[in-house]
Amino acid sequence: MEAIGGTKTHISEEINYNVIDVEESYDGVRLGEVITKEFVEDMVERFKNQKKIHIKYAMEILVMASKLLKNEKSLFRINVPEDRHITVCGDTHGQYYDLLKIFELNGRPSKENPFLFNGDFVDRGSFSCEVIFTLLAYKLHDPECMYLTRGNHESRHLNQIYGFEAETVKKYNGEVYELFQEVFNYLPLACVINSKVLVLHGGIGFKEPGVTLQDIENIDRMRDIPEDGLMCDILWSDPQKLNGLGLNKRGVSRVFGPDVTKKFLDDNGLELLIRSHEVKMAGYEVEANNRLITIFSAPNYCDSVGNKGAFIRFNGSDMKPNFTQFTHAPHPPLGPMHYVSSLYNQLM
């Protein structure tokens, strides 16, 4: 699978959603100058009932998200006080009803109950718009209740193949899709929690030796995902059981061994690496002498794998991982990549 780079756009600076009227018949909560808790909760329920938000609000959320996210560093830091916690989730891949199950099990996002979602919000599952709009709306309502890092599927090339483009154009339009691409380019690449835990989507299979957290923070991320380099490795690399670096079966970046994990963490004063990017039957896997955890939060991936989903809660007092596993939730009868197959059938 190739990771193809692309050009960045600034459609958020050009689009004027204020000329769009919201019809009196629209039965959702109206969006004012700020995103209120009432708006977010109404949107969550609309999506649950297979309704959309108005296209004006879709554009407004994405423009607001672009303005917020582009001011974040490529690597940002979170401090969790001793009496607080944070929950880290892996890939959700458009499985909106499983996202709701996470919130049922762990509570809705709030300043007192913050979440970090570690990329791959979209593609494959046919409710990708619902997933990413929900996460962005929480982030805009309160930036301290929702943190987001980019995955390899927050990418124009993969979105064209695995369903998100077709879904977005069908549910909204091409301008909304272009706004999403800009938002994806602004998503940070990594997060450090309490100076101990590094969270990023893929891994640390860096070709260059001696990469530091400062190097990651300095990445010019505001573009589609390149074919090589630090940004590509962060989003595409995978761990392996053998020491050293090796070729990645994905055809992009590399695989890295337990020795690579240990050296990177020790050199950067860290204790643990959290990554996602790979389906795990238990929803998570601990390896590299307990220094690396893969977390995956899309149960019964693609309606066929039969895996559990999982998430991790860290208490600020000790920053030890506490796992919750869960099974998939029922969802409306739209299979994986439904909109791609629908488009294909229309063209045949």
Side-chain angles (χ1 to χ4, degrees):
M1 186 186 299
E2 287 186 299
I4 304 297
T7 58
K8 61 183 179 181
T9 62
H10 298 283
I11 187 175
S12 65
E13 299 172 4
E14 301 168 358
I15 199 160
N16 183 10
Y17 51 78
N18 289 315
V19 300
I20 303 173
D21 291 325
V22 179
E23 302 83 2
E24 291 186 10
S25 59
Y26 181 72
D27 60 352
V29 171
R30 306 282 166 141
L31 178 56
E33 293 184 0
V34 298
I35 293 184
T36 63
K37 183 179 180 181
E38 180 188 21
F39 178 87
V40 177
E41 291 181 347
D42 177 73
M43 185 184 68
V44 168
E45 289 303 308
R46 290 184 70 81
F47 290 160
K48 184 177 179 181
N49 296 319
Q50 299 183 72
K51 294 183 177 181
K52 297 183 293 184
I53 55 173
H54 197 278
I55 194 166
K56 177 179 180 178
Y57 299 156
M59 291 180 174
E60 193 166 357
I61 287 170
L62 293 171
V63 170
M64 293 169 69
S66 289
K67 292 177 180 178
L68 177 67
L69 291 170
K70 71 180 180 181
N71 290 320
E72 294 203 14
K73 296 180 178 179
S74 291
L75 181 149
F76 64 96
R77 298 173 185 269
I78 300 173
N79 179 55
V80 181
E82 286 194 1
D83 60 345
R84 296 290 182 90
H85 65 266
I86 190 168
T87 300
V88 180
C89 299
D91 301 31
T92 44
H93 272 303
Q95 298 186 194
Y96 180 69
Y97 295 84
D98 295 313
L99 175 66
L100 295 185
K101 188 164 185 178
I102 293 172
F103 294 159
E104 290 169 9
L105 292 170
N106 198 60
R108 293 281 179 96
S110 66
K111 196 180 299 262
E112 295 72 34
N113 188 39
F115 284 79
L116 168 56
F117 280 83
N118 191 29
D120 280 13
F121 319 115
V122 304
D123 279 341
R124 293 205 167 93
S126 293
F127 305 94
S128 292
C129 288
E130 289 78 2
V131 168
I132 185 61
F133 271 132
T134 296
L135 298 179
L136 290 175
Y138 273 114
K139 177 73 176 172
L140 290 167
H141 169 60
D142 183 354
E144 294 183 23
C145 85
M146 180 64 66
Y147 300 94
L148 304 172
T149 49
R150 188 175 188 173
N152 64 305
H153 274 265
E154 278 68 62
S155 155
R156 182 182 298 274
H157 177 58
L158 294 191
N159 295 164
Q160 290 170 345
I161 300 170
Y162 293 103
F164 184 60
E165 179 181 26
E167 177 186 336
T168 305
V169 171
K170 176 67 174 178
K171 292 179 178 178
Y172 296 96
N173 64 19
E175 287 183 313
V176 170
Y177 176 69
E178 290 300 325
L179 283 167
F180 269 124
Q181 293 305 313
E182 184 171 334
V183 169
F184 292 167
N185 288 348
Y186 290 150
L187 286 167
L189 304 177
C191 171
V192 173
I193 308 174
N194 282 20
S195 301
K196 294 181 178 181
V197 178
L198 174 65
V199 183
L200 47 73
H201 183 72
I204 52 171
F206 304 129
K207 180 170 61 176
E208 303 86 347
V211 173
T212 66
L213 295 180
Q214 189 64 52
D215 292 330
I216 297 174
E217 185 176 313
N218 290 341
I219 293 172
D220 178 13
R221 72 180 189 277
M222 297 183 185
R223 51 182 170 152
D224 205 357
I225 302 168
E227 295 181 346
D228 54 28
L230 293 184
M231 181 173 170
C232 174
D233 295 333
I234 286 168
L235 299 176
W236 276 97
S237 62
D238 296 288
Q240 64 173 356
K241 305 302 182 186
L242 299 175
N243 282 336
L245 296 172
L247 296 175
N248 196 324
K249 64 184 179 181
R250 299 178 190 267
V252 184
S253 188
R254 281 157 292 280
V255 291
F256 58 97
D259 60 326
V260 177
T261 298
K262 180 180 187 306
K263 179 171 175 49
F264 178 87
L265 293 176
D266 290 349
D267 288 352
N268 286 281
L270 299 166
E271 296 179 1
L272 182 64
L273 172 63
I274 304 290
R275 45 89 64 179
S276 302
H277 195 42
E278 289 182 284
V279 61
K280 299 295 180 182
M281 292 307 295
Y284 70 95
E285 183 177 356
V286 182
E287 52 190 310
N289 298 309
N290 298 318
R291 303 290 300 273
L292 185 150
I293 297 172
T294 298
I295 189 73
F296 194 83
S297 304
N300 195 28
Y301 184 45
C302 294
D303 288 350
S304 61
V305 176
N307 61 292
K308 292 181 179 178
F311 53 83
I312 311 170
R313 179 181 282 208
F314 289 98
N315 294 314
S317 57
D318 60 15
M319 289 304 293
K320 302 299 182 185
N322 301 286
F323 299 97
T324 297
Q325 296 170 292
F326 61 100
T327 56
H328 68 280
H331 67 74
L334 294 181
M337 296 172 60
H338 167 81
Y339 295 95
V340 170
S341 59
S342 296
L343 178 62
Y344 176 79
N345 290 334
Q346 290 172 18
L347 295 174
M348 293 299 290

